[in-house]
Amino acid sequence: MLNNRVSKAVRLAIAFGATSTAAFTASSAIAAEESAESFEKIQVTGSRIKRADMEGANPVQLITRDDLIASGISNVGDILQEIPSVAGAATNTAVNNGGTGAVRVSLRGLGSERTLVLLNGRRVVASGSGADSSVDLSTIPTAIIKRVEVLKDGASAIYGSDAVGGVVNIITRNDFEGFEANAMYDASTHGGDGETKSYDFTVGFSGDKGNVVVSAYYSEYGAQMSGDRDWSKFKYNLSPSTGDMNKGGSSAIPWGFYNGINSQDDDLCQAFTHGAANGPGQSDPTQFTNPTGYDCFDAGKDLYNFAPANFHLTPSERYGLFAQANYEFSDSLRFFTEMNFNRRSSDTKLAPLPLGPLAFFGWTDATYSKDNYYNQQFGPKSANGESVDIADWRRRVVETGGRDTTFRVETVRAVFGFEGDISDTWGYEVSYIFGRNDGAINRAGGVNFEKVSEAVGPSFLDATSGQVLCGTPDNVIEGCVSLNTFGIPGTDSEISKEMLDFISFEAHDLGYNEQQILSASVFGDAFELPAGTVGVAVGVEHREEKGADLPDALIALGITSGNPREKTLGAYSVDEIYMETNIPLLSGAPLAEVLELDLAVRYSDYDTFGDTTNHKVGIRWSPIDGLMFRGTSSTAFRAPSTSDLFLGASASSPEVTDPCASNPTQFCLADGVPASGFTPIGDQLSSTLGGNTELQPEEADIVTFGLVYSPEFVEGLSFTVDYWDIELTNAITQIGEQLILNKCASEGTYCDKISRYTSGPLLGNSSDIDNRTVNVGGIDSSGIDFNLRYATDTAFGALTFNLDSTRYDTYDITQADGSVVENAGWYYENGGDGNFPEWKTNVDIRLAKDDWSAGYAIRYIGESEEPFGDPAEGEPASRMVDSQVIHDVRFSYFFDNFTTTIGVDNVFDEDPPYAATGFNDNTDPRTYNTTGRHVYLSLGVAF
């Protein structure tokens, strides 16, 4: 059975991997085939039973160490995000607004929280800024990775919660001996931005009784600015009716926006501003058409271009240490341990604060007083020339330089365990895992609205001191500095440092995740059947999870420009027992070279919601040599995480449209909207998110089936086809702000979740939307994975070809009202789960001979539709987001103990496609290559 063509084909498939950055070498292929004759029993992801054959009923893809090295990628999360079975909206370092520097992976597009990450088959503590639901893959260095096994199937019966979309199991180099050091430099061809430097060294020692492997690493990633690329230097708006592309921007402008000065006078405009000179997206506020007075605000020329001030690629620094060891006291007692430490420092930068207390933050107590000295001296005047109270004023505070956030995240993990032989055919393992992740976040560039309220209140020029003081001569506010937003940035009249120091606020947030696991298992051969040995694994596990997000005290009070949120603090525990068996039914029979049955069941008892039981059935059938059919049917679940359960109320600002604005229905009127409608604040409205301690687990039914074929008539050729179908119910999610607004307007439901302004210039506008977490709706996802591999010897060297493709057939989201949003082939920035191009394909070609190898890779991301326009207005309901094709090349040369690799990623400098609904840089950085052409050089030495 070990030597049949299916076994060899699957082993070669695992050795080769199936990713756009795969780097196949002749030596690795030969080693894989030679080792097929002498395989010991091993454990493959998706099963806890050790077996001699690597292939089972589960579809497993493998990324080898050669793949990682040749890719030029120093982060395992980035290479995982490129495989076709990953989709949706998992974050990475190209996500600035909403990113944290973390890199997460979303198998089947089901979300990173439904993708289980393991290290050597064991859980890893969630990581990030605190109370996180998934693992930041940047905490795991590539230097210690031997291979990555990606199980593209549900596995809750094997591993418990979270293994719905699949499992990423990172296997480390526990058997390394000698010394190895690597250095890599990478930079873009656009002036060298996005510069990356990484260094690592690994040493391994072994003796008769055990071994030790230690690895240290350091990586530094440089920034790219949105203003340094033509496609991202402006916020571009596409007109649905004309197809024209216009430069957009914000009404919070450095030259001031003052609304409602005298809205009853037809001779005056409603909003005043200094007029900008150079058209839309003006970046230089020192140039005005009317520098000493005010013009009527004109969106065609006065909007502020916020795009250039943002990071596109966020900078970071990572370093750490990893060690693992084992020692054999006897055959029945072997000790093993793993210990690692990682520190990540990363930054995000947003455009300077849009200081509009009422319009953008709902702060009603910051009216610019008509008795404010600077308003009287420099502010716009009413029709009769008098200063007036200005409730809706907006000023981009460019004097701060931007909103800078720094994340300092430390992760430690320790594993201690014993394993051994009970008998010739039975073994055991007991282990303890401790993981802790601590985050400290500093957010600069914000303001304290209580101080803003004082600073724009009444003030006067003190004749004695010559200073402008807050309050009145009879009631001076000590320590207050009156604010002047009416000047011109870049001149003597700009907001002064003293003014900024008084209103400015820097948040200091803390958070953590903690995990403790105690587990024990026994495994071995239960008994013999005519077709072979029945393998069994039985185990118990106790796990405790804790998490906290502790915002700055002023953030928690909701008096700053930072998104207000309350603290998150909570914990839960779970006790589990599981059993798995592999039953050989037939072997060497007619039309049944191999016929095996896999059975697994797991019982989980949580102290939060109760218990759940999940099972899995798998079958592997090889009717003839060279052909194998495989299939699984299983249930899976995701338990509510600490953030799902205990998340403190927090504010969000989604891009949504309120249907009540232009066409108020009877339900809108009943909800407090005026009959004439209202002028929207903007396309970002405030909402409140939060946890729910009454949440129940998500549940999923999963089916996969496929085949592996290695035809005898073409030596070196094999391919696999696998179909998956995942039906998830009782989803832990939010109703969605847009759905709440739509259903309130059309049916009168969810209106109770909308708070509206009841008076003033924002009458009718939403001030808050309650979008706290609930169990509602579900997801139905299905599709096909296809992989083709071919390896042959030519006169020029060993040639390998690998094609990996995924077609997303369905990805339907059932919403709270029972309606279905079809995501397959669509990109939904809001109201969906991200980007699901119907086709994603990677092709990798490799040629290797003696002391050199060369590779060429193509990554294809197909078209997707995005919602666009209003059919009621004669506009299209959707538009196509173009496909993207990325070409990478690499060349390696080996001499003595040294290796050098040079590569070019995105050879033709392909820009990402334009997405009209793209929140970051007019595109989707979670899906497309957005960093442009990069050239890298890596050097390695090993002894």
Side-chain angles (χ1 to χ4, degrees), residues 145-198:
I145 297 175
K146 179 189 293 185
R147 65 182 184 274
V148 181
E149 298 177 0
V150 181
L151 171 66
K152 296 183 283 189
D153 191 7
S156 286
I158 309 298
Y159 301 113
S161 177
D162 306 338
V164 179
V167 178
V168 173
N169 188 12
I170 298 169
I171 310 299
T172 60
R173 306 167 72 188
N174 63 333
D175 56 354
F176 178 79
E177 292 185 54
F179 172 82
E180 177 183 281
N182 299 283
M184 192 268 287
Y185 178 82
D186 175 292
S188 82
T189 57
H190 294 261
D193 60 1
E195 184 179 64
T196 297
K197 304 172 185 176
S198 68

Side-chain angles (χ1 to χ4, degrees), residues 525-573:
D525 299 338
F527 53 87
E528 292 290 330
L529 291 176
T533 304
V534 175
V536 173
V538 179
V540 295
E541 185 172 287
H542 173 78
R543 178 163 54 94
E544 297 179 0
E545 301 278 357
K546 299 178 182 179
D549 171 37
L550 308 174
D552 189 287
L554 295 184
I555 289 285
L557 289 174
I559 63 173
T560 74
S561 56
N563 287 341
R565 69 188 192 280
E566 300 171 356
K567 72 175 182 180
T568 298
L569 181 63
Y572 67 85
S573 65

Side-chain angles (χ1 to χ4, degrees), residues 731-931:
I732 299 173
T733 184
Q734 293 88 31
I735 297 172
E737 293 92 347
Q738 190 63 67
L739 183 63
I740 291 172
L741 292 169
N742 291 347
K743 289 300 179 181
C744 176
S746 63
E747 300 176 5
T749 56
Y750 301 139
C751 290
D752 59 324
K753 294 185 176 293
I754 305 172
S755 299
R756 297 187 183 275
Y757 292 102
T758 58
S759 61
L762 299 180
L763 174 64
N765 271 280
S766 165
S767 61
D768 185 67
I769 304 170
D770 184 353
N771 193 32
R772 289 176 173 85
T773 303
V774 293
N775 285 109
V776 63
I779 300 171
D780 184 5
S781 174
S782 65
I784 297 175
D785 294 326
F786 177 77
N787 181 256
L788 174 68
R789 290 173 293 273
Y790 180 66
T792 188
D793 290 325
T794 71
F796 303 100
L799 176 67
T800 59
F801 173 90
N802 187 86
L803 181 147
D804 187 32
S805 186
T806 294
R807 182 184 187 277
Y808 290 89
D809 184 31
T810 61
Y811 192 95
D812 294 343
I813 301 175
T814 302
Q815 300 190 100
D817 62 344
S819 61
V820 175
V821 178
E822 297 181 0
N823 270 43
W826 283 79
Y827 168 46
Y828 284 96
E829 175 70 34
N830 297 293
D833 280 6
N835 202 342
F836 291 82
E838 189 173 355
W839 284 98
K840 298 180 73 175
T841 301
N842 295 339
V843 175
D844 202 284
I845 304 171
R846 187 77 177 171
L847 185 64
K849 186 173 183 179
D850 298 330
D851 54 3
W852 63 267
S853 65
Y856 174 53
I858 303 173
R859 183 181 180 216
Y860 169 76
I861 302 170
E863 295 179 330
S864 57
E865 289 188 77
E866 64 176 339
F868 186 66
D870 184 359
E873 300 294 328
E875 299 171 346
S878 66
R879 64 175 296 273
M880 297 301 299
V881 179
D882 290 339
S883 62
Q884 187 184 47
V885 181
I886 300 297
H887 301 260
D888 303 330
V889 297
R890 67 193 71 87
F891 178 83
S892 296
Y893 183 72
F894 318 103
F895 53 98
D896 295 331
N897 297 316
F898 296 89
T899 302
T900 181
T901 298
I902 186 170
V904 182
D905 290 337
N906 196 354
V907 174
F908 300 108
D909 203 19
E910 180 80 8
D911 291 338
Y914 171 78
T917 57
F919 185 65
N920 285 264
D921 296 324
N922 306 299
T923 190
D924 177 20
R926 296 169 174 85
T927 300
Y928 305 109
N929 181 303
T930 60
T931 57

Side-chain angles (χ1 to χ4, degrees), residues 130 433 566 603 641 688 861:
I433 301 173
E566 300 171 356
Y603 171 79
S641 66
T688 298
I861 302 170

Side-chain angles (χ1 to χ4, degrees), residues 41 68-69 140 294 383 403 478-479 539 662-663 666 683 699 851 882:
K41 287 188 175 183
L68 296 171
I69 294 173
I140 302 174
Y294 290 89
R403 288 169 286 172
E478 294 296 333
S662 59
N663 186 26
Q666 58 175 323
D683 56 4
E699 300 173 348
D851 54 3
D882 290 339

Side-chain angles (χ1 to χ4, degrees), residues 34 49 108 263 282 305 372 391 424 462 465 503 533 576 645 722 767 787 813 824 882 909 918 941:
E34 288 178 347
I49 297 175
R108 305 302 187 204
S263 59
Q282 169 65 256
N305 179 23
N372 180 280
D424 290 342
D462 180 55
S465 64
I503 65 172
T533 304
E576 299 180 289
L645 294 165
D722 288 285
S767 61
N787 181 256
I813 301 175
D882 290 339
D909 203 19
V941 59

Side-chain angles (χ1 to χ4, degrees), residues 142 448 519 545 669 675 677 898:
T142 57
N448 181 329
S519 62
E545 301 278 357
L669 300 178
F898 296 89

